[in-house]
């Protein structure tokens, strides 16, 4: 019973850490956007896209395999530290090579993208590729040992250091008269500091536990790790490259319709720094849902427990929809008001149409993530990888066509995001349905899982927008928006309770420690 409670506590701490880190990340983006402006946010966003490609080798397939190896060694009563000692050098070597390559190629890559001023930000972010490699190795080790609190502590350290160092460096550089390019590099250095802090926290915890130092190396584990992680890494690398190319395509197509390099970076920064920042807020909760449901789905699928499998998936879809739909309807009905809560009204006016267009993705993207998570839990990782590559290719093509139309321009970016996410959701949902056929017919209609949360979310968002609009002149923009959101949230919570969208039984399915054979 104690072990079970420990697992539940660790999962809860990790989920809470995800939410807190998302909030800290948002607090990092808001002052940063106000400080360096849309141009600087464009440079910063391009640097993070390039960093994503550099870090994919040790951030995708290898940690998954290391977690499994560690879990198997622990289950057999062996020394888990020996596994980490046998493969950690691979993470560090690949991470160091990625960091060097990213730093050396920064001027060339930014020149090809047509945004040479972004090169300092890319260079400042390059060392983070090494620290992320170390962090992912240590995090995978602790996950394999089911010590989830260590990962939560590392997440918090990363978010705090990124916020403090990144915002502080950007503020000092801006105060001393440096331009947007250098100030964006200061912000990027904050990300590097955050990854260094996260790796340091995990390494110190390993040193205190003494789990690795006395361990003897196990031969052949490195080759096994590379062999098993190669397919996942290759797929993730392809998706990462497509994501980086997407930023390049957006900038190039903006230039094709008449924007110079500075104005193109500014428009791209408005999209990524303002609209996407607000859009990403709900994913803290939907990501936690996916993390909780994965063990339930995996255990139910492997044991052939169809009732529990359908129950877990239904509860996951309902929980995601309960978060995604009200957020999406608020994005669509009151985008300018939401952005104005955090940014200036001139920036809100430019970003509002982009946030409204992202409302489609606000529902489709988390549902696609749930379907992808379920497939991986059922041992079918190839479909999510293929869906990522295909949807990324679709997004590239859609951006090329839509943004290249002068009448659409940057509005083509959120439109393309919605189209690509629909493709990904379609592929993953079809694969899930195919796997579920072996367990019999569907146990609950789509109305309970999707339509009820959608109806409740629409009514709640409508109330929020109407109350915010009615109070705007009397109490001011920000206060009226907050009043509307609180009132709409109260209406939404009441509707959830009346309709029974989320019940105690379904919420209990997310308890990691609950016996899956029940």
């Amino acid at each position: 019973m104690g072990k079970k409670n420990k697992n539940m506590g660790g999962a809860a701490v990790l989920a809470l850490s995800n939410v807190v880190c998302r909030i800290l990340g948002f607090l990092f983006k808001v002052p940063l956007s106000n400080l360096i402006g849309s141009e600087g946010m464009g440079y910063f966003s391009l640097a993070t896209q390039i960093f994503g490609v550099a870090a994919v080798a040790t951030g995708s397939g290898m940690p998954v395999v290391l977690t499994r190896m560690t879990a198997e060694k622990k289950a057999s009563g062996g020394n888990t530290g020996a596994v980490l000692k046998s493969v950690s050098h691979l993470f560090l070597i690949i991470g160091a090579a990625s960091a060097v390559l990213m730093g050396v190629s920064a001027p060339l890559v930014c020149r090809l993208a047509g945004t040479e001023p972004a090169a300092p930000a890319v260079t400042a972010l390059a060392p983070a590729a090494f620290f992320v490699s170390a962090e992912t190795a240590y995090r995978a080790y602790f996950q394999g040992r089911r010590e989830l609190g260590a990962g939560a502590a590392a997440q918090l350290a990363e978010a705090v250091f990124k916020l403090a160092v990144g915002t502080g460096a950007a503020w000092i550089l801006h105060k001393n008269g440096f331009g947007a390019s250098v100030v964006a590099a200061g912000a990027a250095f904050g990300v590097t500091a955050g990854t260094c802090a996260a790796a340091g926290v995990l390494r110190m915890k390993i040193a205190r536990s003494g789990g690795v130092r006395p361990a003897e190396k196990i031969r052949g584990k490195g080759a096994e790790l590379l062999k098993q992680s190669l397919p996942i890494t290759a797929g993730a690398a392809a998706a990462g490259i497509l994501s980086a190319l997407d930023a390049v395509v957006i900038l190039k197509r903006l230039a094709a319709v008449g924007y110079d390099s500075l104005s193109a970076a500014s428009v791209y920064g408005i999209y990524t720094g303002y609209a996407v920042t607000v859009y990403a807020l709900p994913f803290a909760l939907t990501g936690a849902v996916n993390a909780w449901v994965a063990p339930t789905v995996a255990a139910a699928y492997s044991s052939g427990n169809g009732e529990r499998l359908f129950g877990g998936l239904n509860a996951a879809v309902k929980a995601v929809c309960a978060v995604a739909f009200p957020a999406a309807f608020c994005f669509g009905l009151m985008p300018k008001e939401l952005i104005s809560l955090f940014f200036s009204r001139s920036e809100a006016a430019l970003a509002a149409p982009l946030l409204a267009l992202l409302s489609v993705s606000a529902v489709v993207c988390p549902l696609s993530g749930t379907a992808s998570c379920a497939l991986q839990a059922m041992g079918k990782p190839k479909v999510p990888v293929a869906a990522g590559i295909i949807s990324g290719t679709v997004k590239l093509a859609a951006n090329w066509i839509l943004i290249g139309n002068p009448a659409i321009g940057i509005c083509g970016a959120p439109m393309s995001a919605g189209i690509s996410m629909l493709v990904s959701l379609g592929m993953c949902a079809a694969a899930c349905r195919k796997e579920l056929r072996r367990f019999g017919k569907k146990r609950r209609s789509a109305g309970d899982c999707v339509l009820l949360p959608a109806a409740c979310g629409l009514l709640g968002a409508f109330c929020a927008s109407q109350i915010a609009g009615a109070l705007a002149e009397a109490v001011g923009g920000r206060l009226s928006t907050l009043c509307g959101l609180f009132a709409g949230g109260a209406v939404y919570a009441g509707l959830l309770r009346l309709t029974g969208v989320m019940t105690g039984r379904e919420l209990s399915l997310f308890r990691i420690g609950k016996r899956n054979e029940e």
Side-chain angles (χ1 to χ4, degrees), residues 4 146 292-309 508-518:
K4 188 164 73 171
R146 299 185 67 83
W292 284 345
V293 79
T296 298
V297 171
Y301 184 84
S302 60
S303 64
N305 190 334
E307 189 66 33
R308 188 160 184 79
L309 177 61
S508 71
L509 293 171
F510 297 115
R511 296 178 186 171
I512 302 299
K514 188 176 177 69
R515 293 184 181 276
N516 291 303
E517 64 269 22
E518 288 177 0

Side-chain angles (χ1 to χ4, degrees), residues 139-229:
R139 190 191 300 272
Y141 167 74
F142 282 113
Q143 286 178 346
R145 290 172 56 87
R146 299 185 67 83
E147 297 177 14
L148 304 181
Q155 280 184 333
L156 288 172
E158 180 175 355
V160 169
F161 271 76
K162 182 174 73 171
L163 175 62
V165 177
T167 306
W171 183 83
I172 292 171
L173 292 170
H174 177 74
K175 202 73 174 172
N176 284 276
F178 288 95
S181 175
V182 178
V183 177
F189 179 73
V191 178
T192 298
T195 57
C196 178
V201 166
L202 292 172
R203 190 65 187 86
M204 285 190 292
K205 187 167 180 60
I206 290 174
R208 283 200 301 267
S209 67
V212 174
R213 285 176 295 179
E216 295 191 5
K217 215 171 179 179
I218 306 175
R219 293 184 179 180
K221 284 293 181 183
E224 181 184 350
L225 179 96
L226 289 175
K227 181 180 178 181
Q228 294 187 24
S229 64

Side-chain angles (χ1 to χ4, degrees), residues 106-492:
L108 175 61
V109 172
C110 293
R111 193 179 307 121
L112 291 174
T115 53
E116 291 186 59
V122 178
T123 304
L125 200 52
F130 171 77
F131 295 123
V132 162
S133 297
E135 177 193 352
T136 53
Y138 302 148
R139 190 191 300 272
Y141 167 74
F142 282 113
Q143 286 178 346
R145 290 172 56 87
R146 299 185 67 83
E147 297 177 14
L148 304 181
Q155 280 184 333
L156 288 172
E158 180 175 355
V160 169
F161 271 76
K162 182 174 73 171
L163 175 62
V165 177
T167 306
W171 183 83
I172 292 171
L173 292 170
H174 177 74
K175 202 73 174 172
N176 284 276
F178 288 95
S181 175
V182 178
V183 177
F189 179 73
V191 178
T192 298
T195 57
C196 178
V201 166
L202 292 172
R203 190 65 187 86
M204 285 190 292
K205 187 167 180 60
I206 290 174
R208 283 200 301 267
S209 67
V212 174
R213 285 176 295 179
E216 295 191 5
K217 215 171 179 179
I218 306 175
R219 293 184 179 180
K221 284 293 181 183
E224 181 184 350
L225 179 96
L226 289 175
K227 181 180 178 181
Q228 294 187 24
S229 64
L230 187 59
I232 302 175
T233 302
I241 291 170
L242 287 171
S243 179
L245 285 175
D246 184 60
V248 174
V249 165
I250 291 174
L251 292 167
K252 288 290 187 183
R253 296 307 283 165
L254 288 172
V257 295
Y259 290 86
D260 58 38
S261 60
L262 291 181
S263 58
S266 179
V267 170
Y268 181 62
I270 288 170
Y271 172 58
T272 58
Y274 304 123
V276 173
T277 297
V278 176
Y279 156 80
L281 276 176
F283 292 111
L285 295 175
T286 57
V289 170
N290 292 340
W292 284 345
V293 79
T296 298
V297 171
Y301 184 84
S302 60
S303 64
N305 190 334
E307 189 66 33
R308 188 160 184 79
L309 177 61
F310 279 101
L313 289 175
N314 283 333
V317 171
K318 286 177 69 176
V320 167
C321 289
V323 174
F325 274 112
F329 287 128
C330 283
F331 294 160
L333 292 173
M334 46 193 303
K336 188 175 180 180
E337 292 84 350
L338 290 174
I339 296 178
S340 296
L341 279 174
F342 313 103
F343 308 106
S344 71
R345 288 203 166 272
S346 59
E347 293 157 343
L350 295 171
L354 304 176
L355 180 60
L357 289 170
L358 282 170
S359 59
V360 175
S361 298
V363 174
V364 179
C365 184
L367 284 175
S368 176
T370 301
S372 174
C373 179
L375 285 170
Q376 294 185 41
M378 291 187 283
K380 308 294 179 182
K382 292 183 179 179
V383 176
V385 170
I389 295 173
I390 293 173
S391 65
T393 305
V394 169
K395 189 178 181 184
L396 278 178
N399 273 330
W400 185 271
I401 295 169
L402 295 174
I403 298 176
N405 184 336
I408 299 175
I410 190 61
C411 289
M415 294 166 66
S416 300
I419 293 170
S420 66
M421 283 295 101
L422 283 170
V423 172
S424 177
L425 176 60
M427 292 181 64
C428 292
C432 278
R433 186 175 182 180
K434 181 180 178 181
E435 288 299 317
L436 293 174
R437 283 176 183 167
R438 57 179 283 195
F439 294 93
K441 294 183 178 181
K442 207 173 187 181
R443 307 298 173 89
R444 187 167 295 176
S445 67
D448 292 333
C449 298
V450 179
L451 297 183
L452 271 178
C456 295
L458 177 58
L459 289 173
F462 180 76
C463 289
S465 64
Q466 292 301 304
I467 293 172
L471 296 176
E473 291 187 7
V475 299
R478 285 187 171 90
L479 183 56
S480 65
T481 301
L482 289 173
C483 291
L485 290 175
F486 278 116
V491 170
Y492 180 59

